[in-house]
Amino acid sequence: MKKVFKGIEDKRESGDVWFDELKRKRTDGPAISTKRYVEFNESTKSVHAGQYDDPNTNALGTPIFQCSTFYLNESSYNAIEEGRGRDEMIYTRYGNPSQWSVQEKLSALENAESSIVFSSGMAAISSTLLAVLDKGSHIVSSRDIYGGTYNFLYEDLDRFGMSVTFTSPTNIEEIEAAIQDNTKVLYFEALTNPLLKMAPIEEIVSLGKKYNLRVIIDNTFLTPYNVKPLNLGVDLVVNSATKYLNGHSDLIGGTVSGSRKLIDRIWPQMLKNGGSMDPHACFMLERSLKTFALRMRTHNANALELATYLEDHPKIKKVNYPGLASYNQHELAKKQLKGKNSGMISFEIEGGDAKAHSLLKTLKLPKEATSLGGVESLISLPYNTSQASLTKEQQKEIGINDGLIRLSVGIEDIEDLITDFEQAIEQIF
Ligand SMILES: *Cc1c(COP(=O)(O)O)cnc(C)c1O
């Protein structure tokens, strides 16, 4: 029997109270610039938040602190002794001003108290989960989930004495039914790959409150531009920064954001797993984030136009896109995205996988490659990339039909993209 959570007394009974009653005084996390630009909008935050202008040189923009270690002094010795290593310059795996600067920008964009950057999305996800789960913990997650995350949950949790149940990402009754006595975390993706199913975040948060569970959302597909899960009550949000956050297909990185208390708990796990972000990669990510809102606006607008064009095309059987009235969670999309959208589309073409392959070969602009969120349009077939480990029957079961194509719409001129699809579809039929 799972127990409905009644309040702090329940926790006292189970001895699980110390973490909530920690009284240590906290700041918002390590930062060398305290400017969050919280009162400003997305583009202003993207450009300015977290940037550190070096007072010694008057250089405009955060320098790259490309060092592995720092001179020790009274303050760092004290920090080491008091276990406050996260706020001090000691050693770059512990922290580095290049990381702090980009973390501040991310916290501004996510509306978070604190953030950590990692060497990859998977480093962020695995360290976050290991930090918040204990031996014997159970987690409820989705069948429609990123392959690397699925493998971690399915293959590795077991070895730590933990377990997982996979449910539909959209059916709240099924999610609730999967919660057990020892469930600690609900882990879902805001928008799934490749069918773009939308997690009902507020309902999942309600379940989290009802059973005293932590809710973690992977927001890679939507990004904080389109939805801010922390504003909806989620405890932690993770991102593969490799995708939209960096946006130029030239870096691997990951992020986690949330309350300072929880992020402080993930930090020592990051130290042990070792997936910290290199200072040069931090510079690249901070530089890319300056155009984040600008890029997202174009990704969204292009995707909406292209999805509308494809839906009207006689050779296209079905288009999955949250901005279309035909999207089967359109009401939720309107409510959750508040007029924002998505840069991802998936669609089924007549003639199945054979025609889908021809289309990829015939298009001139979208590049045939896995990954997503880059300035260039990227196109691939889920059946032989992201969902290749599933049998044809399993693929059909979750809705990956013959001829399904995944498209990450870039920021090229929309007229050029539509003309390209027009000529390619014309040519292959
Ligand atoms: C790519 C991706 C990841 C993994 O990120 P890496 O940076 O490749 O480690 C996790 N979740 C989602 C939804 C992704 O698309």
Side-chain angles (χ1 to χ4, degrees), residues 245-423:
L245 294 180
N246 183 60
H248 292 73
S249 306
D250 56 7
L251 170 157
I252 300 280
T255 72
V256 62
S257 302
S259 68
R260 173 84 210 256
K261 217 169 189 176
L262 272 174
I263 299 296
D264 270 356
R265 184 161 163 177
I266 296 166
W267 180 74
Q269 192 69 46
M270 184 272 286
L271 294 191
K272 287 179 275 187
N273 292 1
S276 57
M277 185 177 257
D278 178 78
H280 191 264
C282 293
F283 161 74
M284 302 260 288
L285 180 55
E286 190 189 340
R287 186 184 198 271
S288 294
L289 280 170
K290 291 180 189 183
T291 57
F292 172 64
L294 183 67
R295 284 185 280 111
M296 291 311 298
R297 273 197 287 276
T298 307
H299 284 298
N300 284 354
N302 280 0
L304 177 61
E305 268 204 57
L306 199 53
T308 307
Y309 165 80
L310 290 170
E311 186 170 51
D312 288 341
H313 199 290
K315 295 296 183 195
I316 304 300
K317 282 162 56 178
K318 182 168 197 270
V319 178
N320 304 307
Y321 186 68
L324 293 176
S326 61
Y327 179 66
N328 54 12
Q329 295 173 285
H330 191 60
E331 283 311 307
L332 175 67
K334 273 205 291 200
K335 182 165 154 250
Q336 202 151 279
L337 304 184
K338 298 191 169 72
K340 299 283 184 45
N341 233 315
S342 141
M344 296 297 296
I345 300 178
S346 64
F347 60 98
E348 285 171 32
I349 193 164
E350 294 281 359
D353 293 337
K355 281 289 187 222
H357 277 291
S358 316
L359 182 71
L360 267 50
K361 296 285 175 241
T362 314
L363 284 165
K364 293 178 188 146
L365 291 176
K367 306 300 179 210
E368 188 174 346
T370 184
S371 198
L372 60 117
V375 287
E376 63 290 284
S377 294
L378 293 175
I379 195 161
S380 60
L381 306 187
Y383 95 88
N384 68 353
T385 56
S386 53
Q387 268 70 22
S389 62
L390 305 180
T391 64
K392 219 44 193 173
E393 285 68 42
Q394 289 172 319
Q395 291 182 356
K396 288 245 157 63
E397 233 167 78
I398 61 169
I400 308 212
N401 295 326
D402 236 23
L404 183 74
I405 297 169
R406 181 183 94 172
L407 175 64
S408 166
V409 183
I411 63 163
E412 299 93 342
D413 291 298
I414 186 60
E415 302 78 12
D416 294 335
L417 286 173
I418 289 176
T419 305
D420 193 22
F421 272 88
E422 210 153 50
Q423 68 79 24

Side-chain angles (χ1 to χ4, degrees), residues 120-122 125 146 189 218 220-221 240 242-243 252-253 372:
S120 71
M122 281 316 300
I125 291 165
Y146 180 72
E189 291 176 1
D218 178 336
T220 302
F221 268 51
S240 167
T242 313
K243 316 294 168 53
I252 300 280
L372 60 117

Side-chain angles (χ1 to χ4, degrees), residues 78-140:
N78 287 340
I80 295 169
E81 180 150 330
E82 292 161 21
R84 292 186 285 104
R86 201 185 153 209
D87 291 337
E88 295 286 332
M89 288 173 251
I90 298 168
Y91 182 65
T92 286
R93 176 159 43 78
Y94 289 43
N96 174 300
S98 291
Q99 294 164 357
W100 297 348
S101 189
V102 69
Q103 284 171 181
E104 281 299 287
K105 203 186 276 298
L106 287 163
S107 293
L109 293 167
E110 295 282 10
N111 201 12
E113 274 178 17
S114 196
S115 301
I116 299 179
V117 286
F118 292 81
S119 55
S120 71
M122 281 316 300
I125 291 165
S126 55
S127 294
T128 296
L129 284 170
L130 287 176
V132 299
L133 295 171
D134 302 309
K135 190 175 173 191
S137 297
H138 173 257
I139 161 167
V140 178

Side-chain angles (χ1 to χ4, degrees), residues 16-33:
D16 187 23
V17 79
W18 65 271
F19 186 71
D20 292 273
E21 295 192 339
L22 274 179
K23 287 289 189 299
R24 201 170 83 204
K25 195 174 162 315
R26 285 159 201 274
T27 61
D28 285 347
I32 46 173
S33 158

